[in-house]
Amino acid sequence: MYIYNTLSRKKEEFKPIEEGKVGLYTCGPTVYHYAHIGNIRNYIGHDILEKTLEYLGYKVTRVMNITDVGHLTSDSDSGEDKMEVAKKREGKSAYEIAEFYTKAFFDDFKKVNCDYPDIVSPATQNIDMYIKIIEKLLEDGYAYKSGGNVYFDISKLKDYYVLTNHKEDDMVVGAREGVEEDDRKRNQADFALWFTVSKFENHEMLWDSPFGRGYPGWHIECSGISIKYLGEYLDIHGGGVDNIFPHHTNEIAQSESYLGHKWCNYWFHNEHLLDSSGKMSKSHGEILTVSELERKGYNPLSFRFMCLNSHYRKQLVFSFEALDQAEQTYNKLKSRISNIEPTGDIEEDKYNSYNQRFIEEISDDLNISNTLTIIYDLLKDNEVNGNTKLKLIGDFDKVLSLDLINHEEEDSELVEYIQSKIEERNNAKANKDYALADQIRNELLEKGIELMDTREGTKYKINK
Ligand code: AMP
Ligand code: ZN
């Protein structure tokens, strides 16, 4: 398999540290707000990576953190802890906020068929690990205490900017917009490992440590959790492109200084989802979530389908028109697949030749949109029997996770019944008999059938 490695800035053949096994670390969400569909695009990218590796026969162990402390509004050392921002916004404790948004995150994560990682670990549950790393960094002279905080001294490294193509001038933290000078630092690009001094009072999440009562920096969390669960040598570490600097740059600096050797071989970065005003972000404007798309009547898998049509290293612009288009194409594809007659024995040679094409595409830095072309070619191919087609599509769907094969036959009587009820309700609304319209909606709801009024008419969802 070939994969683009941000570290070398080229596509490289993937070679795991241990044969047949892969350790994969994904930076998790900061749970101070809902995850928007841009965040979810990033996790769909990681899900595809994990499932591709599994399809190719690797046993993957995937670890993800939950950032529930220490991520400041600047991504660096200035600004306020995002959890504190949420506390003020919602008048709840930081732990309540974290619990609520972690659950909301995984609800949406599941709706787009992302697999739950093998280990998910909140940053607040690994404080001992960060303390252990920071103590050693202090001992070995990579870190220093100043003004109550502990900082990493980037001048101790030959190659601090290794991940960013050495665009040092663009990267100097002091030169970045919204980032304040900090006179506690020896170099402005040094970064905090542990804060005891915060300009904000009443910081709720604090722990005792040899460096004083305080809280960890965001970057040390991912190094600590990754090393704790995946060991001292890591195959792949991933995130969004905005994580390359400062987050991943700092992770490399502190992890390799702590370990005394190279830490992670492949750095995997997903490009952003944009909206008409630029990069989608939790801190600006309205947050569009997968659940919100669903409330608007869209199938969350149409959003997954939309993401899969574009390469993970390309920016993708979201619009409802594009999503409408994706939903239409996705529904058509599913309906064509549902029309395949399950006939014949599996034709090994044809199975192998299509499967080989699929493997070539996924192995070429996750060329997922090309695998959809393979499915269209397969659908058109009169030389391949129904059962072979269904087996191929079912297998491809282990990576795509688009529910392409209906395992449960759709109950046509039930569909007819729902359609007739929708029509009855439409008539009631046309006659301004809203009481009857509501009664029909409730009647269906009691049977687990939810109606959604959308621009394209009434849609339904059967809740299992
Ligand atoms: P956060 O919850 O802000 O820590 O972000 C979670 C993940 O989503 C990070 O790995 C980010 O790199 C990624 N991310 C943030 N914004 C976007 C976006 N607009 N499109 C794609 N990924 C994003
Ligand atoms: Zn991280």
Side-chain angles (χ1 to χ4, degrees), residues 23 64 84 110 204 234 258 345 368 411:
M64 187 165 96
E84 294 289 319
K110 258 186 21 213
E204 179 188 338
L234 178 62
Y258 167 71
D345 294 332
I368 298 298
D411 181 342

Side-chain angles (χ1 to χ4, degrees), residues 29-30 36 38-39 42-43 71 240 242-243 272-273 279-280 282:
T30 310
H36 53 64
N39 301 128
N42 174 53
Y43 295 107
H71 191 170
D242 57 314
N243 292 147
H272 282 148
L273 184 71
K279 173 184 174 261
M280 254 181 211
K282 284 187 200 177

Side-chain angles (χ1 to χ4, degrees), residues 25-28 65 67 218-223 237-239 243 247-248 251 267:
Y25 184 86
T26 305
C27 286
N65 69 305
T67 305
W218 170 39
H219 319 300
I220 195 75
E221 298 172 2
C222 285
S223 289
H237 187 127
N243 292 147
H247 187 48
H248 291 164
E251 279 190 53
W267 286 85

